Amino acid sequence: MSLLPSSSSAGFLRGLEINEAISQSFQSLKQLKHIHGALLRKNYDQDNYFISIVLRSALNFGDLCYARLVFHQSREPNVNLWNTMIRGLISNDRFSEAVDFFRLMRKEGILPNNFTLPFVLKACSRVTNAGVGVSAHCLGLKIGLDGDVFTNSALVCFYAKCGFLNDAQKVFGEASDKKNVVSWTAMITGHVEHGRFREAIHMFWGFLGAGLRPDSLTIIKVLSACIRLGDVRSGEWIYDYLTENNLRENVFVNTSLVDMFSKFGNMEKARDVFDMMPEKDLVSWSTMIQGYAFNGLPLEALDMFSRMRQDNLTPDCYVIVGVLNACARLGALEAGERASKMIDRDLFLENPIVGTALINLYMKCGCVIRAWEVFMEMRVKDKVVWNAVISGLAMSGHAMLAFSLFGQVEKIGLKPDGNMFMGLLCACTHAGLVNEGRRYFEGMVRIYSLLHTVEHYGCMVDLLSRAGCLDEAHRLIVGMPVEPNAVIWGALLNGCRLHRNIQLAETALKEMILLETWNSSNYVQLSNLYSVSQRWDDAASVRSKMNIEGIQKLRGCSWIEVDGVVHEFLVGDETHPSTKDIYSKLKELSKYLKEAGYVPTTEYVLFNIEEEEKEQSLSWHSEKLAVAFGLISTAPTAVIRVVKNLRVCGDCHEAMKLISKITGREIIIRDNNRFHSFTNGFCSCNDYW
DNA sequence: GTAGGGTTAG
């Protein structure tokens, strides 16, 4: 088969025909080599134009050895051939070889042209070979390439990417006639990537002031600066600007906007942007799911996930991490496990982020052993993985295991961080180990040079308060270098409730009211406290203050998962489709409870419920609605899993024990990360007050 | 044949 004309044809015609044969895109490397062979046979082996075509194709196929062979065949490679080789190496991610090739080119005495430096500078910025980049810059100045727009932009990009922002600014500022969207974006990106978010946003204003129109890259970068800085005002202004200027077509831009609004906690706006997107991809869905999960809207996250599935999209590990977080928050074990089966198990073992999400799910659902199994199987374990297990063990009451894991962390040479000490302090709290807690709290600063955060103080106050060291806890709060928050005072209050210290409880509640003026439960508790102390006037004034400020009491709410489906209940809820059955089951339960000798108690001091509501709340609390629903559900093997966001109060505890005994079903209630498992009249919770 | 090449996770 003759692919090429014979060399006896006229040169011009010959060139055209060969060009035609060689310009076709090659289907395979084999075909390319075949044509290359024909070229050699016809004595075109020194024609740099043909060589460059073969070279480019070889590089496109990624056969670098072959490309080098072809290149070195040329006895006098011209600058085009050198450029082709450097560019090809870059497109194959061989940046340092590209830099070496440039060096070789200089050694051979070849001068670069306007195409060369942009390639070389790109390679230098990728391997941060500042030396070669800077000498390329000097060479460019010497031979007058600094007037070229592309070379100039490439220089700005090079300096910005290497972190030499002042030099980037210098090259950028000196070339006012060569500034374009690429060099502006390079400056903005450089600032963002080196943590100078405020400057990045400032540059963006300058960019707009110069009358230029941003493209998707510019927008994404400046939005990421707004997100990192938490600059809601600039973010929203940019959002309006994009809307007014029809710049909301690009899926990356829209996804960044969704991400921005969810990071700012504005899920309504995030949803708005998401719903309006002309095109959605897996990342957009994943951003939305994570946004809901992160902002404490786990049911919405799961709803998004099921919509995504209806759209026939297959989840990736980002999506699954979001879903697992939502499930962990809900305690929705079955739903979480089902989602986890949608991606390759190896991802859990090799990707520490994905593995951590699964460990958290199991830990939050009280399945310590399964969490442990995942941990043991994981092949890549970083600090956060260890933290997840240590905190999980701590919250499940396995303090000693948590301590011994901490010992292993030190052995394998990982440096503990503040989060790890949170886990350890939490373990101490759950096991009531006051001395160990004091030691870790003090040691994290003395031995590991870490700083105490508000959270560490919170944990320590909790530990001391529960153990009855109320004065020490109070002193710790008063001596804090940062302002104590409501959680810290709440921990002290909790201790006061346990150890019946009404005086300190009053102090704590007053502080909490100052910090959380909107939170009804603080007022209710303070008023209850005054009532039991028979300080009726004080009680009345708290009530009237609450009324004057129009503070509404939050309704108790709980979720239950039965066979992987999550249901939500509010106190006195009547909106569930099975309401009638649920209430009739509740009536039946109440009858059984009465017969079993259960009398609701109303005299608990400092409960977070109004006095007159106590009896009703205790008998008709949303947990019981959920339990009743679990009992009437037809699922034959369903474990009733009630996940509450309120405290499991003492009275309800007794009721649950009886319900489990009467019905023979297992009931699991989660309360502030503690699990209460009721089976056959017993509770396996180790930390019940 | 040239410069920035992108949004999401614990």
Side-chain angles (χ1 to χ4, degrees), chain A residues 79 83 111-119 143 145 148-151:
Chain A
V79 67
N83 287 349
L111 277 181
N113 67 7
N114 56 320
F115 289 101
T116 320
L117 293 193
F119 296 144
I143 58 178
L145 284 173
D148 176 63
V149 174
F150 284 92
T151 304

Side-chain angles (χ1 to χ4, degrees), chain A residues 149-297:
Chain A
V149 174
F150 284 92
T151 304
N152 185 271
S153 306
L155 280 166
V156 176
C157 297
F158 161 72
Y159 283 119
K161 196 147 212 158
C162 292
F164 303 124
L165 292 175
N166 290 340
D167 297 291
Q169 182 69 52
K170 211 164 159 235
V171 179
F172 178 72
E174 278 169 2
S176 53
D177 54 324
K178 292 176 209 71
K179 285 180 183 173
N180 58 23
V181 65
V182 175
S183 53
W184 275 99
T185 306
M187 285 305 299
I188 293 170
T189 308
H191 282 109
V192 172
E193 275 164 16
H194 293 89
R196 295 164 65 165
F197 308 119
R198 178 59 65 209
E199 290 87 342
I201 296 170
H202 190 72
M203 289 233 65
F204 182 71
W205 304 142
F207 170 83
L208 292 184
L212 289 160
R213 187 178 166 87
D215 64 12
S216 58
L217 264 174
T218 328
I219 299 164
I220 288 162
K221 289 298 171 189
V222 72
L223 287 179
S224 87
C226 297
I227 295 171
R228 300 287 297 275
L229 206 61
D231 185 345
V232 180
R233 249 184 76 186
S234 300
E236 284 176 348
W237 189 92
I238 293 168
Y239 165 79
D240 290 337
Y241 168 84
L242 299 177
T243 311
E244 281 160 22
N245 290 278
N246 295 325
L247 282 163
R248 284 186 42 204
E249 291 300 311
N250 179 289
V251 66
F252 295 117
V253 167
N254 280 318
T255 305
S256 293
L257 285 171
V258 171
D259 187 39
M260 179 181 81
F261 285 118
S262 40
K263 296 260 162 71
F264 290 167
N266 186 349
M267 286 315 291
E268 275 177 28
K269 198 79 204 163
R271 181 60 180 268
D272 252 18
V273 176
F274 180 79
D275 286 343
M276 302 267 285
M277 281 172 77
E279 178 201 346
K280 299 178 176 76
D281 64 8
L282 198 56
V283 181
S284 337
W285 283 97
S286 141
T287 307
M288 204 59 214
I289 292 170
Q290 284 153 25
Y292 277 133
F294 180 78
N295 283 291
L297 297 164

Side-chain angles (χ1 to χ4, degrees), chain A residues 69-70 110 119 124 172 185 214 237 257-258 306 346 391 395 420 464 466 487 532 571 591 658 669:
Chain A
L69 194 77
V70 173
I110 309 287
F119 296 144
C124 290
F172 178 72
T185 306
W237 189 92
L257 285 171
V258 171
S306 84
D346 275 349
S391 317
M395 285 188 292
M420 208 167 274
L464 292 170
R466 280 169 192 268
V487 177
V532 290
V571 170
K591 207 178 113 221
L658 277 167
I669 296 186

Side-chain angles (χ1 to χ4, degrees), chain A residues 363-382:
Chain A
M363 287 296 195
K364 296 265 162 67
C365 293
C367 309
V368 181
I369 293 174
R370 267 189 273 180
W372 181 256
E373 283 165 356
V374 175
F375 174 69
M376 291 307 282
E377 276 183 65
M378 280 173 72
R379 293 190 276 271
V380 184
K381 294 175 193 154
D382 63 11

Side-chain angles (χ1 to χ4, degrees), chain A residues 667-684:
Chain A
I667 302 164
I668 301 168
I669 296 186
R670 195 181 96 191
D671 153 36
N672 290 342
N673 293 326
R674 254 165 291 148
F675 279 87
H676 309 251
S677 169
F678 304 87
T679 331
N680 201 22
F682 291 98
C683 175
S684 66

Side-chain angles (χ1 to χ4, degrees), chain A residues 434 461-473 495-496 498-499 501:
Chain A
V434 182
V461 169
D462 194 21
L463 170 61
L464 292 170
S465 308
R466 280 169 192 268
C469 312
L470 295 172
D471 288 330
E472 187 182 344
C496 296
L498 269 173
H499 300 281
N501 186 330

